[in-house]
Structures are given as C-alpha cells and as structure tokens.
Amino acid sequence: MRYLPHTDNDVAEMLSVIGANSLDDLFAAIPEACRRQDALDLPEAMTEWELNKHMGRLASAMAVCPEYLVFMGAGSYDHYIPEAVKQLLGRSEFYTSYTPYQPEVSQGTLQAIYEYQTLTTRLLGLDVANASMYDGASGLAEALLMAIRVTRRKKVYVSQLCHPLYRQVVQTYFEPTGYEVVELPYRDDGRTDFSGITDLEACAGIAVQSPNFLGCIEDIATLSENVHTDPKTMLIVSFTEPLAYGLLKSPGILGADIACGEGQSLGIPRSFGGPGLGMFAAKKAYLRNMPGRLVGQTKDLDGKRGFVLTLSTREQHIRREKATSNICSNQGLCATAAAMYMAALGGTGVRELAQLNHDKAAYLKGALNQAGLETPFGAPFFNEFVVRLPGSSEETYNRLLSEKIVAGLPLASFYPELEGHYLMCATETMDREDMDLLVKEVTS
Amino acid sequence: MRYLPHTDNDVAEMLSVIGANSLDDLFAAIPEACRRQDALDLPEAMTEWELNKHMGRLASAMAVCPEYLVFMGAGSYDHYIPEAVKQLLGRSEFYTSYTPYQPEVSQGTLQAIYEYQTLTTRLLGLDVANASMYDGASGLAEALLMAIRVTRRKKVYVSQLCHPLYRQVVQTYFEPTGYEVVELPYRDDGRTDFSGITDLEACAGIAVQSPNFLGCIEDIATLSENVHTDPKTMLIVSFTEPLAYGLLKSPGILGADIACGEGQSLGIPRSFGGPGLGMFAAKKAYLRNMPGRLVGQTKDLDGKRGFVLTLSTREQHIRREKATSNICSNQGLCATAAAMYMAALGGTGVRELAQLNHDKAAYLKGALNQAGLETPFGAPFFNEFVVRLPGSSEETYNRLLSEKIVAGLPLASFYPELEGHYLMCATETMDREDMDLLVKEVTS
Amino acid sequence: MKATVGTTGLILNEPLLWELGKKGRMGFSLPRRDVDPAPMDSSLTGEGPDFPHLCEVDIVRHYTRLSSWNFGVDSGMYPLGSCTMKYNPKTNERQAALPGLAQAHPLLPSQLAQGTLGIMYDLERLLAEVTGLPAVSLQPAAGAQGELTGMLLFYAFHKSKNQTRSKILIPDTAHGTNPASAALCGYKSIPVKSNDQGILDPDTVAGLMDEDTAGIMITNPNTLGLFEDNIRQVADIVHAKGGLVYADGANMNAVMGIINVADLGADVLHLNLHKTFSTPHGGGGPGSGPVCVTRELEPFLPVPRVEKSDDQYRLSYDRPGSIGKIHAFYGNFGIQIRAYAYILSMGPDLKKASQFAVLSANYIKERLKGVYHLPYDRPCMHECVFTDKHLQQHKVTTLDVAKRLIDYGFHPPTIYFPLVVQGAIMVEPTETESKENLDRLVEALIAIAAEAEEQPDRLREAPVVPKVRRLDETTAARKPCLSG
Amino acid sequence: MKATVGTTGLILNEPLLWELGKKGRMGFSLPRRDVDPAPMDSSLTGEGPDFPHLCEVDIVRHYTRLSSWNFGVDSGMYPLGSCTMKYNPKTNERQAALPGLAQAHPLLPSQLAQGTLGIMYDLERLLAEVTGLPAVSLQPAAGAQGELTGMLLFYAFHKSKNQTRSKILIPDTAHGTNPASAALCGYKSIPVKSNDQGILDPDTVAGLMDEDTAGIMITNPNTLGLFEDNIRQVADIVHAKGGLVYADGANMNAVMGIINVADLGADVLHLNLHKTFSTPHGGGGPGSGPVCVTRELEPFLPVPRVEKSDDQYRLSYDRPGSIGKIHAFYGNFGIQIRAYAYILSMGPDLKKASQFAVLSANYIKERLKGVYHLPYDRPCMHECVFTDKHLQQHKVTTLDVAKRLIDYGFHPPTIYFPLVVQGAIMVEPTETESKENLDRLVEALIAIAAEAEEQPDRLREAPVVPKVRRLDETTAARKPCLSG
Ligand SMILES: Cc1ncc(COP(=O)(O)O)c(C=O)c1O
Ligand SMILES: Cc1ncc(COP(=O)(O)O)c(C=O)c1O
C-alpha cells in the first residue's frame, strides 16, 4: 500500500526495540473482552485507477452545469471561481497544516486568516471578525447564544425569513438550553413583520436575514432604530449571500451588532452543501464574548511583524466548560479561499459583480413577469426572487427537470402557504440565453 | 485586464520619468515605414468564463477515454499517471522558473534534473544522460548526427522499423547536410534485416528501435556484436516505449552506444503528441559530443552539495556555430515528470507494471488469434503487435470507430505492403472486458 | 547542531493584502454583461467594501509566498499529538474536486443527486463497520460538533425517558471541547480524576455516577495515548444508573480493526475524519466529525438521514425523535468524499494503519524514555506523552524543546496537553512516517536534550531558523489587533 | 541592507531520491491484474532498473521540498533579459489539463480530433495576425528548433531555385542558437558587426551579402533591446541578392500590434510561445517555437498542415515542397493550448502588453542610467542593457551584482549576454510587473551599487541568503558528476 512505509524489516526492528514479538503484542494491554474478534468487513482496497473510475461514475450521476441549468440558490450559490484561487488553495503548505498552534511555522496560515478577518470586517461593516464558524446555520445559533450571554436575557426573536434550515439548526442548539426562540412572521411584500415584538427589554437579540430567504432585502435601518431603543437588545443580521454587500449597505453600517452567515458564495464550490464558511463579525464591545478563533497581529523578539492565535481565554482548550463556544477545528481553508476571492475581486470587482448579479436576476424576473408569471413579493431583491409556476406547478417543475432545468427551489415544504411558489436564483453564471430558455420552457 | 497592472496614473508617472508624452512616443524610434498601420484584428478578449466554455466545447470534441476505447500506441502511450505526480508538477516554483542559469535559486530544478539523468541512465543502462531533447524523433536525428561527429563518417543506417515519423524527422534534419541515410528493410518475423550492411567501416552509426514500430523486440545483442566488429561504428538504440525496459534488458546492457527515444510513456499525458520528452543517454566516452544540457553535482563555497548546469562548452550559448546542437530550451518539466513517475514506480513497480503491459497485450493478441485474426509477425513483443483486420479491413475499422473503439493504427500509410494491418496496443489501462469487447466487435 | 533537516534559505517577505495594489487593477475576470443594468434603489446601496485592488499575479505571489512560511505534512514530519497528522493522499483531493461533486447544489431533487447521496450512504456503512456502531450521521462539521451532537443525543434520549439530567462525567484527561460541548447542552461537567496509571478507575466513576448524571464522555485511547482498560466496567457502571457513554473517537487511529466500539459499551462515538481518515486539516479546518451510535440511539440522530430503497437513494426528514439539524445541509461533504476515497483505497489495511501507528508510537517511546521523562511507563497506543521534568534543572521547558525542534526541521509535538501532565510533550507519529523519519525525530530530540544541558540558551532562544522568532502573545492578547 | 523582499527562513534539506527509501515500499498503485501472466522469454529480460523504493508521501515531500529551493515567476520578479518572464496565467494551465485535450492520442482519425485540430488551426491564424506573416507552422518545439526550421526553409527555397548557398549573415548581437541552428543546416555563419548605435548598418550588410549567402538572421528588437531601425534597408539588400531574411522573434513582446513583421521585409519569423505568449518555461522547457512565413515560403513549411474545409479540420501531408517533419507529431501541443488561451484572453490588448513592456523597460533604463553604465543611451524596447563598467573600480563584477540581487529577493537579470557588451546586465521587466515592483528592483539595484562602493565584499560573497552559496562550476565541469 503506497501510503504505508513500514517494510517487514522495519516492523521487525521496531518490535525488537520495543520488546514485543508481534504487532498483536502491542495491543496486549487491551483487555481480551474489548478486542475485536472479527476482521474488518470492508471491500477490498481499490487501486488508484479503480477509485478514479468509481468516483467518475458517481460524479456523472449528478445534475450539474453545463448539462443542467440550475436556477437554485437558497443558501448555496453558483459563482465563478477564478482558476488562480483554486490553484493557490492547492498549495499543500496551506491545506496539509494543522491549526496554527506554533506560529513560527504557521505564518502563512495566520496572515491569511488575519487578512480574511480584515476583509470580512470591511465587507460586513463591523469591527471584528473571527476566523470562521462551521457554516451560516451554526453561526446564527452561536450569535443568538452570544446575545444571550451578553445581555443575560433568555429570549430571542428570529425572522421566519431566516433560512429555514438555519432556523432548524437554531432549534437544535436551543432545545436543551431552556431559552426561548420566537419566530417572526413575514409580510405581503416579502419582508419580516417585526410588529409583534413588544417586549424588547426581555429580548436578548433579534435575528433577521437580508437578503432574506425569499430574496428580499429587509429594512434593517428601521429595524435597527427600533431595536436599539433598548440599550441592550442586540441586532443580529444573518445572510446566505454575502456578495450582496458588494452593492448593498453592509449590516454594520445599518446598525447590526452581529453579522453572521454563510460565505460559500465567496469563491467556495457548492460541494453539495459543504464545506462552506461560517462568517461571523461583531462590534468591538462584544469581542470577548465572541465564539471561535481569532488571529491577532503582534511582533516577534526582533520586533518583526507576525501573527498569532489570540484571546484564547475565550476558548475551549483554556476555558473548557466556560468557553464562549465549543468550536475547535473551524473552516480555515474556506476562509482562506474567501480571502483570495475577495482580494481577486477587489473593491471595484465586488461592486460590479454584485450589480451584475442583481441585473441578471432582474432580467429573469422581468422576463418571467412578461411571460405572465406572478412574482408575489414586491420588496427589492438581490439575485433571488419568488415566482409562482403556472398550471400545475409541480408538473411544470418536473417537466422542466426532464428538460435538464432546475427551476428553483419548491417553497412549499418550508412555507406550506407558498405551495406552487419557487425560489429562483440567477447569478453572473447565467447567460441571457439560459434565462430565455427557462422562460420559454416554463411557458411552453 | 487582470494580467496588466499599469493604471493610468502609473503610465503617466512612468512616461514623465522617461520624458515621453504618450505610449506611442516610446516607439518613435521605429521608422514610420516599419510601423503597423492597422489595429490588431483579433477577436475581442474572452472572459475567463467564456474561455472555459469555449475550451470545454473543444475538448469535448475529442475521442478520449472513458468514452472511447483507444487501442493505439505507435509512439504515444496511455499509462496511468499518479495524481501525486500531477499535483507536484503543479508546484509553480517548478513550472514558472526558467532554465537554471542561476543555480543558487534553482536548486530544485537542478536536483530534479540530476535525478532524472540518473534514473534515465539506470533505465537505459548507459553512463550519462542529458537533461532532455525535444522528443524521440529529434533525439534520434541528433544521435545520428552525433555518431557522424564522433566517427567523422558520413553514412548512417536506420531501420525501417524505427518509428516512421521519426525517420521523417531524420530525413528533414539530414537533408541539407549531405550525409547519407540508408534505410534497412525488415524481415518476415517483424524484426529488422541487417544483412544489407556490408560497409561497416564507412558507417557512422546504425539505428534500430526496440521494441520496434511493429511492436517487436529486436535482437540487439546480436546486432551489437556485429556492429562492434568495427571499433568505431556506433549502435544507436531508439525507443518509443521506455517502460519496456522495466522488463527487457536495457539498451546499454545489450551494447548500445547511444540510447534515445520518447519518454512520454513515463508519466506524461499524451496531449495530442506533445510536449513529450526526448530521452538521450550514451556511453561516457562520448560525453563531450553529446547534445543538450547536462546537470552536474558540485559543492558550494561552504562545501555543501549542490547542482549546476555544466559542460556548457558543448552548447550554443558558448560555442555558437561549433556547438554539438542548437538546442536551448528543452523539455525540462517533462523530464521532471518522468523522474517523479519513475520514483513513484520504484524498482519493483517498474518491473511489475512492465510485465502487466506485456500480459495485457499478450491476452489481447491471444484473444484475437483465437477469434481467427492473423498476427503476422512472430518475434517477441512488448505491449504492441500487428493484426490483420478481417473482411474489408477499412470497413471493419470504421465500423469500430462508430462503436467508439479505435482499433489500432492503420499501417498502410506508413507501410503500403501492410494494407489491412493495424498496430494494436494494450497497456495496463485496458481492462480485460475492454479487450473482450474489442474482440467481440471485431468479429461481429 | 549537525546536519539536520531544517536549514535556512531564501524566503520572500510579503506585506498585507491592503498594503498592496492600486485602484484600477483587478484580479478577477468580470463576466460579460448580456443584460441591461437594473439599478438598485439608492437608499439600499452602500459604498462598497474597501477591498484592495490587485492583479492576478499579485494574488498568486501573495499566497505563494505566504504558503512558503507554513509547515505542512507535505513539508515534513508533523508529530502533533492528538491530531493524527498522517499523509493526506493526493487522490482524495482529485475526487473532491470532480465537477459533478464540487458543483452539486445541496438541494437538488434526490433523483438528480444519486452520486452524492450514494457516497454519503456508503460512507455511513463503512464507518459503521470500522467502529462497530451501526447507525451514523455525517452531519457534524468537526469533532467538537460531533460531541455537541452526542450531548444532544444524550439529552434527547433522557428526555424520551421523561428525564432531564444535569451533569456529565468528564475525565481530567479530556480534550477541552468535551466540557465545552457538554456545557452547550446545559450539562455541568463533573471531572473524573484518572488514576496513577493514567486511566479511569471504575471506583472513582462509581462514586460520581448518579441518576442526575446523563453519562460520561470518554476518550479511548485517552489523551495520554493509553487504552482505557476499564472501559467496560465504567460503561456498565454508567449504564446501570441509566446513563450513556460517549466515546470521543479523535484517537480512533490507534484501534481500527482492533476494537469494536460498541463492544466497549459506547453508545455514541464521534470520528474526526480529518484525523483518522486522512483528510487534510486545512490549516484549521474544514474537518468532519461524524457520529456513530447504537440502534437504540438511532431514532435521535440528526435529519436528514440517507436511505436506500429500490437502488435509489433519498433523504428522509421523517424522524420524529430526531434532535433536528446540526448543519444547514449535510456537513462538510467535500471532506466526506476524501474520507470515502481513503477508506476505499485502504480497505482492510485500515487495521494495518492502526497497527503501524501504535508500533511507531511505542518505538519512539522506547527510544526516548531514557532521555525525556515518561510519566506513564506502559505500552502506549498511537501516541506517547513525555514531560520536561528532566530538563527543569537546566531551566528549560517543554516550550523550549518544541521551538528548538522547529530549527531541526520538524513540526513540534502537541505541548502542555493533556493538562493532567505537567509540561506534556505529546508525540503522535502516525503510520505514514517511515522508520527513518522516526529515527531522525528521535535523534533530534536526543540532540536537543543534550543541548538543554550544554547550551540551554539555544533552546530558550529557539527557533532561530524560521522567518519570525517567538512572538509576543501577551501583547497580542492585551492589545488585540484583529484586523487592519 | 534595509527591509528587502528577500529574507531567510526555514527551508528543509532533502537528499537525493536514491538516498531515500527501502525495498518493500512503493509509491505507485499497481493496477489490478485481470489477465494471466504471459512470461517474457528470459533471454530478453533484464534485472530491471535500479530505481529507489519510496512511498507516496516520500515523493510528495521530496518534490515539495525541492520546489522550495527554486525561484519562479510566482515567487517574485524575474527580470531575466531575453526570456520575457511574464506572469503565466493560471487559466492556461487549466485548459491544457482538460482531459479531452491532455488525453488525446496524436494519431486519432481527424474526425475524432476536431477539438485539437481546431485549436491548432485557429492558433495559426491568430499568430499570423499578430506577426503579419500569413502562414504558420506550430511544429517547432522551441525557439531554436524554429530557427532550424527557418534555415531548412531557406535551404529548400534556394534549392527550389536550383541554388545551394553556403553562408548566412548573423549579427554579433545574435543569440547563440542562431549560428548553431544555421550550422546544423550546413551554413557558415558570417558575423555582422553592429554599429556604435548597437544596431545593424546597411552598409556593413551590403558589404557582406553576396549570392553565396542564403540570407540573414536578425533579432528585432535585438538583444540589446534596440529596434533595428535599418531593418528595411537591410532586408532590401539581402533580398536584392536573392537572399532571405530570418527574424528571430524571441523579442516579439516589444512589438505586438506595433509592427507588422512582413512589412519589415522578414520572410520567416519564429516566436517563442514560452516568452511572448505567457506559457510557462517549466524550469527549462517545454517551450514552443512556431514559425510564421510569407506566402512565398508557405509551400516549404513542415507537414502536416492543418486545413479546414466544410467546417471540418484535417491534416494534410500532401505538400511536395515541404521540408518534411521537424517533430514526431505536431510540436508541443500542450504549450500551444496555453498560448491559444492567452491570446483569446488578451485579444487586442496584446498591443497594450507590448506598450507596457516597453514603457517599463524605458522606465528602468531612465531610473538606473545614472547608477549603472548604459552602453547605448537611446530609447529601448522591452529590455535594457547595462554594464558593470562603473563598478570595476571597486573590483565588483556583473556576476557579483546578479548574485547580490538574489539576497534582495529578486531573480537576477540575464548577464554577460549579449556578448558584444562587456559585463552585460540585461533587464527585461515585462508588462506584468507593477510600477511598485519596478521601483523595488530599481531601489535594490541602487542599494547594491552603493554597497559595491562601501562594502564590495557583500557583493563578492553574495548570495548569502539562499540554501546554497556560489557553486564551484569549474570542478563541476572538470570532473563531471552527472549521475548518482
Ligand atoms: C481528543 C480530541 N477530542 C476532540 C477534538 C476536537 O475535534 P475538532 O477539532 O475536529 O473539533 C480534538 C481535536 O484536537 C481532540 O484531540
Ligand atoms: C534571442 C533568442 N533567440 C533564440 C532563443 C532560443 O529559444 P529557445 O530557448 O526556445 O530555443 C532565445 C532563448 O533564450 C533567445 O533569447
């Protein structure tokens, strides 16, 4: 086996240094009763070439571009990833190293993450960003828990237009805690209805996603004003499509205390949902309550600039049960990818690309409208919107599937009242002719 | 344009330092009459994404595995290439550097090539190997020219079973030289007929390929004995499939003075014929007559081992018109790939893989024979052999093409007497069921 | 210091991203516009983030240079204890990058996602076989999230019995994530002292276990690299009081094919695919922390579960007992692919991997035990723990040894963990290091011990070879500078 | 030496391949055997080559470490004159690796190879447009083979006129491959002295050109980075005597969109795709050296030619006048793909590339001309040549400057070439280096000039930063050790 270096001779020599007679001897200390009796019942090892064939077959069973047109976002977005980013991520010094516990031999990772943190604060308009959370969902759960820690209150509000799967994760995290999660309904225009919040003084935090799950841009500014009438209540802005902030006002500018969400959009392949990137940023005041790793700048003995993991007194390996989170391994390489991607875009690129995303979605929405389809929610949107498919929606949807078009995400399973409605996404990867084809096929 | 860093400001500042008013000014020294009047009539620049689509379309217009079964060798072989080799070759310090003129910052390339040279001498059984020639064909031409230089004789013999395309290149190289190239016919068993050589004393060198173009293994030992009855005449063994020497006696062991050929087989993708690798090795006595670059071991000022380009007094940049060759850029990265591949195989692997190649080809040959097909040449073979396709051969061949099977190389265009004969190859990449399918389809 | 793996050479400096670049440059190829601009309401638009403006070559050089300041498994030996820094096979990277997998949308209708679902289904089956626990969820994104999932399973299990328990037993050798994960679930951690053999004493556990205790979290082999001999008795004690046994499987690399986790009495186990199953650690992540459970706990596993019927895979959300979702989608699928590729490539040789991992650790232990203080002198599993006790007379610490090892060209071992050992030096060689490499590490550590005696300043000032020397962590924490 | 790009850091030693490993290891996954062994006649079989036995991780570390001893364009600025070390775009690598292209057999029937043939056809057209010469062969594997092809075309042309000519004019500034290629073709090189402006004098050429002279090889811009102002007169002189004009296009990066090579009177031109067209140099190759010719010379081009009719591409061998084949197949196709991708990505901006390349070289020339001796003080094209004349008083040479530049973190310029300039320092920045990088290089060279005055030993002992110091090239050549 090409991964295993030990020759018979090596084994014999090592056993003799140890004073053992056989490999089995090494496990003599394990009580008999604990020993496995049967051999591992695993398929015979594949050669590298068999594996390639096998995986090729599996991969070819997937509906991906260019064979399929997938008009689906819903928390996982199709964006072009520069080849340079892919190849740089393949530098094995990055991907085969561990968490940078030994800063002298990890300056590459550390500077890369420091830069990620910085670009993230700039994107989200907040003071500090951590080195990543697992994903947008657990990030939201941790943000809510953080608000509870900070405010010592026990109730949070979460917009129903936060990603339904994120809300499920929040429920899971909250189940054993005894804290209360109240969901906020949405209005006809596709934005959250905050009018039901009457007890701000009891509320640790309010979470809203923007652009929200229906693709609409929430009125965070007004919300922030209202929320911050209570000096403690925290405003948490969640997101699934951070590219939007290339164009839209950032959560921080709009008054968010915490912004957290999924960064997959920023140069990370969809990979059937993971690995992605939990982005997490907050106002400086909350720094010591933040979950997750932080990289900080410092100097070495000679006064040279360098970077280290810092403020680890918040973390599990120092604080154990009192830690701000249990997170240890995070999504470091994805954070690095996002930094590379943001650097490649640059200030000009991020804005132009964001605008283009909006333009594509607007084109598609317009074309669908023109073809007579309803798009019920009137609020401004970024690159996603909801459309009602005509006729028997499900039939239409399935017919399109057979034409190799995935016409968005059926919303009924998440919002039963939206039976027949589909969440459509068009990013920069959709050509006009692709969209025209969709419109044609939908209406044919 | 993402490759061009100069901003308008940069340009203005630089122009002002230079004292020029415009970019056009920089070219003022070029006489008006030499200036191009029209703009470049090139297609509008493609975006990275348009390029990907465009190239994807072109690539999909090719007949390659797994869609097609290609039983064709003939100087370009399908072998498995370990993913590790591919990824290591992608280390940009290797591929974005120039020829190692500055050894202190090129030790990576230099050691890699030194190792390549060493593994090549071991594979070919000779004393010295150069850092590479362009390909097997020009290597053969240069070997023959070298023999002429060494012996000061003006005539060479070349077996007709050397790769026909290599012989064409030899003809091209020899055309203006006035030296004589005599081709040697072949015998019924598929080996070269050397009986026509009666003037050894006038002959600078005799070139034979083994395994030869019909797949047969030549009797180099006997040939060597005969050739070396003249103390000067040089025996040149050419090859297209160096993997064979994992199993067969090496050219050097059998008495070759020079061994040269194509190294594509050793971990280099076929890439429609290039880049490949001209491997070139000789006996030590001929070292100073060798073409091409050489890397040698030496020491630095502190006595540390290091590597440099050496013996460059043979080369064009020092010797100009008196150089042993005009070669400058060679196929360095391919040589590195071959070294990686040989190192991955190791002594055990190269032998087992070579054996397996033979076994596959033997299986296929046996199965075709069993199905009643003629394989006219009786000499031992490695992983290629000649078969006569039944019926109207061309129709059969074309029928198989439409079944996505490329049933070898039609030999008629190279050897008109072999009308209806096809050169078949089976390497380790052919599964038994693929071969069975070929046999079934051939005979159906 | 004689010829070592580590030496000095040319390294290139590189500023921070935003210290580079100029407006007017761009490293990204903007897609061609084929639709009209649709202006966004200006009340919604911002200034746009202040990102630097770089060309492609700037970005390429930036990260190429940064990478050269890093030490990875591909650079050399990385005996970081508890982290199983084994070789990360290149074929795994290839498979994860296959467009059909890397470009797959997670919410594709299942009939269009048979490849990815099939991988998940099969990987679950393979992990079940390796661990002996029959039901698996791949959803946790890392070991710690696996632990949290496990604690949530405990909670759900007890709740299904109409109980809420408030405590959890955690040995003093446990990783920090164990108590932190338990705390997230509202459990109060009750530390269990390990005995003078470095393992759990059943009596101690019996003394602590009660009916308000949800169960115990055991790492086996534990973080001292020792097998918990009494695991079955401990499990029995816990089970007898209605508790459950959580196994932290971070150290599974020692025991594949050797033990069956279910037989040990474990109810839940998490695996770190980024340790045992050769997936790269990515400089901090992404990892993957599947949980394997008994049939009894299966109903509580996160949704969705992957099911197979009529040769079709599908996702099922219909599990009323489930704790719910722990990840937005199905966890770090790209990492799961790599582990899947690894298991298919190794087959039954996984057992050999464990045997060799243990062989190597014992070999190092034997060769170094006269040189460095070995707090528990007994056969170890996949790692061994030394201390700096012998060095204290020279005023040299574990930290100094670790830093000096960098100059020798090795990544340091894990240090100061587990906490129960003062000045711990935790060496995990893994099975992919050849005997020659083990010997080189041993010789380096012996040379360093000699230096500690003869030239202790060499250690205190180490490392001197890398681009930066020791960094001021105190100031970093006192005056945090977390962005530029 | 103040803060520079170059610094020292951890670099890992690595022995030679065969100093590693042990029989019993293998880094290759042997395919499964599904057929019976077919023993080879034992009289034919050998011992098998003595290759080392390594695991995959050994190979990965070996080459990862070796790579870290190298400096490439991705590491930093590489102003190697005459080599056009511009940025090598990553997308080019992607395209060349597409399985449909990388796995294509060269002898596929043309109907099964429309993709590769289409690329070759289009690339020929694109290069024809860039150069102005209408017919192109992509077959030469590098610049020097392009030159040889050109000489063979000269030979064939004259032969078609029933002439054999024995001489060829070659300026003293020419690259060594020019005379070497001509010699391969049996031509005797007649050196042509350049004038005090560094360029060809028509009178000198007129004095040498005769009817036994096949033609002239001109590099334009020449290797001094100067445009050959008199090229048209020279061409006229040569043509008047029935000779042909060969243009060495290694320096094409200066003049894309600026000149039309045909208008200059050139009959044949080779391009170095690995210079002007951004393909990587691979540490020595593979390159690609297409030749572009006039319609008059087209009949002599190598076979096969790529043809297009009815939207189908095919290879044609039916060219009775052809010089034949120069490469077994179609040249370094994988490199052609990269150049094709580059041209499609740049489009008409190729002209900008040339403009900026020339801008940058002139900028450097202006900034340094007071510091280093500039033998030809006139506007340059894409590169500029200095000498060590001012440094001789300090007993410091061009070599010392080059080596010291390494310590500063730059790849040295080309040195001691062209031969007509004593102690030449030939700087070619290329258009992909930002002004900031140019400034950094300039500052480094100014600092080095100051060091030459104040601390000349720093230069003589340089480099001190890389893993190895200056190497003993004399012994290497005197007692060659070419394999281990
Ligand atoms: C024993 C043990 N448990 C748990 C963990 C946490 O795993 P992860 O980092 O994947 O969250 C680790 C990681 O170092 C560990 O060593
Ligand atoms: C002016 C000039 N001509 C020809 C060549 C030869 O090109 P190649 O190395 O591709 O053979 C070079 C290469 O350095 C050159 O600079």
Side-chain angles (χ1 to χ4, degrees), chain A residues 1 153 208 210 214 243-244 252-253 268 275 281 331 338 403 406 422 444:
Chain A
M1 214 295 140
R153 296 174 180 173
V208 58
S210 182
L214 303 179
L243 183 63
I253 289 281
I268 302 164
Q331 305 282 113
E403 308 279 343
V406 181
Y422 292 77
S444 76

Side-chain angles (χ1 to χ4, degrees), chain A residues 229-285:
Chain A
T229 57
D230 183 284
K232 284 175 79 179
T233 315
M234 292 174 74
L235 173 58
I236 298 165
V237 174
S238 175
F239 54 85
T240 60
E241 177 46 296
L243 183 63
Y245 304 137
L247 185 58
L248 303 179
K249 288 204 178 76
S250 68
I253 289 281
L254 294 170
D257 297 291
I258 301 176
C260 57
E262 175 57 53
Q264 173 273 326
S265 229
L266 304 173
I268 302 164
R270 275 160 300 169
S271 270
F272 207 54
L277 168 65
M279 300 179 87
F280 197 105
K283 289 196 178 144
K284 184 142 66 197

